[in-house]
Amino acid sequence: MSGVRAAPRGRIDKRQAILDAAFTVFARQGYANACVQEIAAEAGVAKPTVYNHLDNKETLFREAMAAAATTATARNLAAVDLLRAPGDDLRAAFEEVARQLLRCSADERSRALWRLLNAELTSFPDLLDVVWGEGASRVTEALADRIARLALAGRLRVADPSRAAEQLSGLLMGPIDSRSRLGTRTVSAAEIDELAVAAVDTFLAAFGPR
Amino acid sequence: MSGVRAAPRGRIDKRQAILDAAFTVFARQGYANACVQEIAAEAGVAKPTVYNHLDNKETLFREAMAAAATTATARNLAAVDLLRAPGDDLRAAFEEVARQLLRCSADERSRALWRLLNAELTSFPDLLDVVWGEGASRVTEALADRIARLALAGRLRVADPSRAAEQLSGLLMGPIDSRSRLGTRTVSAAEIDELAVAAVDTFLAAFGPR
DNA sequence: ATGAAGTTGAACTTATCAGTTCAGTGTGGC
DNA sequence: GCCACACTGAACTGATAAGTTCAACTTCAT
């Protein structure tokens, strides 16, 4: 039995593998339809090992969601940060941010995160704080910060930065799930670009400099 | 018992009671967690009666979703129809439409419909056509029609009415689920009004007459 | 080497539900 | 008054999956 060694890597990073696998399976089947057996298989691990790392299916779900939310938020914040140094061409800067935010939203795992949050909100009310509170709402706030600075510098005409930020993300997110048919269709890079340009165009028509 | 029983005592309207109850329970618990027994109880009916009217849990779900989508769509279309006779004050007309659309979106059953659609999309791909295709997308198209007519009459400066319609609904829907925290908090009439005004303000700043 | 800790597969317990069956009941049509 | 038919309640079957147990195996630290 000593021969067949190759895959099963080392030690405690199995926990991460389990959480990744869990999110994948939950995303594919939803919470109730996913079974722990299958998650274990996806992670290349035995079922008792899963229970060795995480108490039960519920905490497995919560932890997997939290992990996914953390990475998604990081990507979004990085995109917004581009507005710290907008350069001369304000429109180009906003368009680039818009493109990146749309790419994040169109991403497979992001859509799954969003779907699962909506789906299980009644069963797991606490997910709202983890995914929304420390996720999406922070992104909007960061965007509001950037907009406020630009307004102060006289480069935007904005009275309420938070509202402007909310509206910009509405302009971006609304059309995207119309185009992706709620994530069942992949949106081409060309379409993303087009949506980004259109959203920024409207945004600047309303809030841009004279 | 010939007494004037205006109560549920009917023949075939039990089917309607069952579908209503089904949607209520699905909305409360999600598809997988809802059990047919409980739906029967909610409808004031015995379990075999449910199976007498609908083949199985899946079709029960589909029919309940379709019924809910139909009523939601009707309300939305009625709101959009206000733009057929906008009167002199274009801004006021748009604000009224916006208020009504937001009220629809904030509605309990509408939010549940949306949540369930997202949640079960992978298990019931055909719901996309029923709920989205014949629902939300028709509303946006109707809005695009109204906008096109207004553009033709020189009251809006819009090149692509479909895009403008998508963006207007983005401006409305984005902020609303931020405020309602995905439907877990009730949004006051005052807040709805405020959001409607803000969205229309931005919309007209971008597309309104010179 | 040796022992502790983590891992494995398989079998097992327990619970929940979808869907069915059936014998009995109320009602409306004629 | 009688029949057909929808409805009822309760009990049953079969499937699926959460969570546990256990004895055997691997890996590493010392």
Side-chain angles (χ1 to χ4, degrees):
Chain A
M1 324 332 181
S2 55
V4 204
R5 296 294 359 252
R9 280 289 306 149
R11 335 198 37 66
I12 297 289
D13 49 6
K14 289 212 161 147
R15 185 192 167 94
Q16 198 50 54
I18 291 170
L19 289 179
D20 274 8
F23 186 80
T24 304
V25 175
F26 284 135
R28 196 164 52 219
Q29 328 220 286
Y31 177 75
N33 275 345
C35 69
V36 177
Q37 187 71 256
E38 191 176 346
I39 292 172
E42 177 88 20
V45 137
K47 187 160 69 140
T49 303
V50 173
Y51 285 101
N52 198 14
H53 284 275
L54 296 141
D55 283 351
N56 50 43
K57 197 183 176 186
E58 289 190 14
T59 56
L60 183 53
F61 184 61
R62 266 186 257 266
E63 301 274 334
M65 289 288 280
T70 302
T71 69
T73 302
R75 276 186 67 189
N76 280 290
L77 286 176
V80 172
D81 250 30
L82 293 181
L83 284 178
R84 275 186 200 279
D88 291 339
D89 191 345
L90 194 60
R91 179 177 297 266
F94 268 107
E95 282 175 1
E96 182 56 24
V97 172
R99 258 191 299 273
Q100 292 203 22
L101 286 177
L102 286 179
R103 264 198 289 272
C104 293
S105 299
D107 171 63
E108 187 61 37
R109 315 253 305 176
S110 278
R111 302 226 53 111
L113 180 65
W114 188 251
R115 256 186 23 237
L116 285 169
L117 175 62
N118 273 278
E120 307 301 335
L121 201 53
T122 47
S123 316
F124 298 84
D126 52 295
L127 281 183
L128 197 65
D129 297 316
V130 179
V131 179
W132 177 276
E134 305 187 21
S137 79
R138 286 170 82 112
V139 174
T140 313
E141 267 316 302
L143 189 55
D145 288 344
R146 295 305 102 217
I147 289 173
R149 298 297 277 263
L150 290 166
L152 204 62
R155 303 187 67 181
L156 288 178
R157 294 168 309 145
V158 167
D160 182 342
S162 293
R163 167 157 307 153
E166 265 180 357
Q167 290 188 339
L168 177 55
S169 70
L171 284 171
L172 291 166
M173 302 316 164
I176 191 86
D177 50 49
S178 161
R179 292 312 163 88
S180 70
R181 292 173 63 87
L182 290 179
T184 52
R185 203 180 72 97
T186 30
V187 185
S188 73
E191 276 175 302
I192 283 183
D193 202 76
E194 186 196 339
L195 290 179
V197 169
V200 170
D201 203 50
T202 300
F203 180 78
L204 288 182
F207 300 112
R210 180 77 289 121
Chain B
M1 299 335 184
S2 55
V4 196
R5 308 293 301 142
R9 282 286 179 249
R11 220 58 186 143
I12 294 291
D13 48 3
K14 287 213 163 149
R15 185 193 168 93
Q16 199 52 53
I18 291 170
L19 289 180
D20 274 8
F23 187 80
T24 303
V25 175
F26 285 134
R28 196 162 54 220
Q29 327 221 287
Y31 177 75
N33 276 346
C35 68
V36 177
Q37 187 72 257
E38 191 175 347
I39 292 172
E42 177 88 22
V45 135
K47 187 157 73 136
T49 304
V50 173
Y51 284 101
N52 198 14
H53 284 276
L54 297 139
D55 283 351
N56 50 44
K57 197 183 175 186
E58 289 190 15
T59 56
L60 183 52
F61 183 60
R62 265 186 258 265
E63 301 274 336
M65 289 289 279
T70 301
T71 69
T73 302
R75 274 186 70 190
N76 279 290
L77 286 176
V80 172
D81 251 30
L82 293 181
L83 283 177
R84 275 185 199 280
D88 290 339
D89 191 344
L90 194 60
R91 178 177 298 265
F94 268 107
E95 281 175 1
E96 181 56 25
V97 172
R99 258 192 298 273
Q100 292 204 22
L101 287 176
L102 285 179
R103 264 198 290 272
C104 294
S105 298
D107 171 63
E108 186 62 36
R109 310 231 344 153
S110 277
R111 303 227 50 112
L113 180 65
W114 188 252
R115 257 186 24 236
L116 286 169
L117 175 63
N118 272 279
E120 306 302 334
L121 201 54
T122 48
S123 316
F124 297 84
D126 51 296
L127 281 184
L128 197 64
D129 296 316
V130 179
V131 179
W132 177 277
E134 306 187 22
S137 79
R138 286 169 82 113
V139 174
T140 313
E141 268 315 302
L143 188 56
D145 287 345
R146 295 304 104 217
I147 289 174
R149 298 296 278 263
L150 290 166
L152 205 61
R155 303 187 66 182
L156 290 178
R157 294 167 311 141
V158 167
D160 182 342
S162 293
R163 167 156 309 152
E166 265 180 357
Q167 291 189 338
L168 177 54
S169 69
L171 284 171
L172 291 167
M173 303 313 162
I176 191 84
D177 48 50
S178 162
R179 292 312 163 88
S180 70
R181 293 173 62 87
L182 290 178
T184 52
R185 203 180 72 95
T186 28
V187 184
S188 73
E191 276 175 302
I192 283 183
D193 202 75
E194 186 196 339
L195 290 179
V197 169
V200 170
D201 203 50
T202 300
F203 180 77
L204 289 182
F207 299 112
R210 182 71 292 122

